[in-house]
């Protein structure tokens, strides 16, 4: 576990279409532990807000898919096992054989309407400069928006001390980030390459945000 104990943990978020409310939320899957023993259980939280705090829960009716990929294959979580308490949604991952597990969650589309001013403020606040620049270039800053959006998130959990190729499993979500190396095998300071897919096809020139809680964490 020497290398594994220092591995970087991935929790990726991708939004298909730039849209939302002014207090827009990112979404993350956060297991309470990222290193788990085989044949054990770990609580997984879905945070709708920031990586540290959830501001709204995601109810069962909004779920399009909750996937668990293990050495035994891919299974879809029974939504009856999806719990909502206050601002946080949770489910329990029951592990089997050792390997790198992939957890995924995908929400159903929603449509939101915003005035031009509200939408511009949202784009600026949520860090979507390419769409804001396009609106400015095309003279559409005053145009109201009616946007269709979804959220698709993934997390990796290392079960036991045998990383495997499960980390690169493509879940088939409308937007998806796929690591090309297993983060649990990387030394500190190594590079991690990722592939971006939208509707199953590689995307070039896509604006991407990445990072941690802070520059040092």
């Amino acid at each position: 576990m020497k290398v594994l104990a220092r591995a970087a943990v991935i929790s990726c978020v991708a939004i298909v279409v730039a849209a939302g409310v002014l207090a827009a939320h990112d979404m993350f899957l956060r297991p309470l532990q990222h290193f788990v023993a085989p044949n054990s259980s770990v609580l997984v939280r879905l945070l709708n807000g920031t990586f540290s705090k959830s501001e709204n829960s995601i109810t069962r009716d909004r779920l399009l898919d909750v996937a668990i990929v293990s050495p035994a294959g891919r299974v879809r979580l029974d939504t009856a096992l999806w719990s909502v308490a206050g601002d946080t949604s949770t489910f329990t991952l029951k592990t089997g054989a050792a390997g790198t597990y992939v957890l995924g969650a995908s929400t159903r589309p929603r449509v939101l309407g915003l005035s031009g001013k509200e939408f511009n403020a949202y784009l600026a606040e949520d860090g979507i400069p390419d769409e804001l620049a396009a609106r400015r270039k095309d003279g559409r800053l005053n145009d109201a928006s009616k946007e269709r959006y979804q959220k698709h998130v993934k997390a990796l959990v290392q079960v036991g001390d045998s990383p495997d190729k499960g980390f690169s499993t493509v879940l088939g979500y409308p937007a998806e980030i796929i690591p090309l190396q297993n983060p649990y095998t990387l030394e500190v300071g190594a590079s991690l390459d990722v592939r971006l897919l939208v509707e199953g096809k590689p995307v070039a020139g896509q604006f991407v945000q990445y990072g941690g809680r802070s520059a040092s964490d």
Side-chain angles (χ1 to χ4, degrees):
M1 298 288 286
K2 185 175 181 180
V3 173
L4 298 184
R6 304 188 66 185
V9 175
I10 274 194
S11 188
C12 300
V13 58
I15 301 178
V16 176
V17 179
V21 295
L22 288 179
H25 301 112
D26 288 331
M27 199 164 79
F28 301 91
L29 279 175
R30 282 201 62 186
L32 291 189
Q33 296 90 33
H34 287 90
F35 298 92
V36 186
N39 302 308
S40 62
S41 297
V42 58
L43 184 69
V44 181
R45 295 181 296 164
L46 185 135
L47 304 182
N48 192 34
T50 70
F51 191 67
S52 300
K53 180 182 179 181
S54 186
E55 297 178 5
N56 296 102
S57 59
I58 300 295
T59 55
R60 293 172 184 168
D61 62 300
R62 290 189 60 191
L63 295 172
L64 186 63
D65 180 66
V66 181
I68 299 171
V69 179
S70 72
R74 176 175 176 170
V75 297
R76 184 173 182 176
L77 183 78
D78 184 347
T79 55
L81 302 177
W82 184 268
S83 299
V84 176
D87 57 15
T88 305
S89 309
T90 61
F91 67 92
T92 298
L93 167 66
K94 295 184 178 180
T95 66
T100 305
Y101 286 45
V102 179
L103 311 180
S106 178
T107 66
R108 298 183 185 279
R110 276 194 165 184
V111 177
L112 291 176
L114 294 172
S115 69
K117 183 178 180 180
E118 289 173 332
F119 190 52
N120 297 333
Y122 159 74
L123 294 174
E125 180 180 338
D126 215 47
I128 309 176
D130 49 349
E131 175 64 18
L132 183 58
R135 285 171 61 85
R136 183 176 290 111
K137 179 181 178 181
D138 297 340
R140 296 186 288 112
L141 289 177
N142 293 324
D143 291 355
S145 71
K146 193 172 184 180
E147 306 293 334
R148 180 178 184 269
Y149 78 98
Q150 294 175 268
K151 297 180 182 182
H152 316 286
V153 294
K154 298 167 68 176
L156 302 183
V157 175
Q158 180 57 43
V159 177
D161 57 2
S162 300
D164 62 19
K165 296 181 179 179
F167 74 93
S168 61
T169 301
V170 177
L171 298 182
Y173 292 164
E176 190 166 355
I177 299 174
I178 300 143
L180 299 185
Q181 299 90 26
N182 190 331
Y184 288 106
T185 65
L186 298 180
E187 297 279 2
V188 172
S191 296
L192 175 66
D193 300 306
V194 299
R195 182 160 53 116
L196 273 67
L197 301 179
V198 173
E199 302 297 346
K201 297 180 180 180
V203 177
Q206 176 65 51
F207 180 78
V208 179
Q209 292 178 304
Y210 67 95
R213 291 194 186 104
S214 67
S216 62
D217 184 17

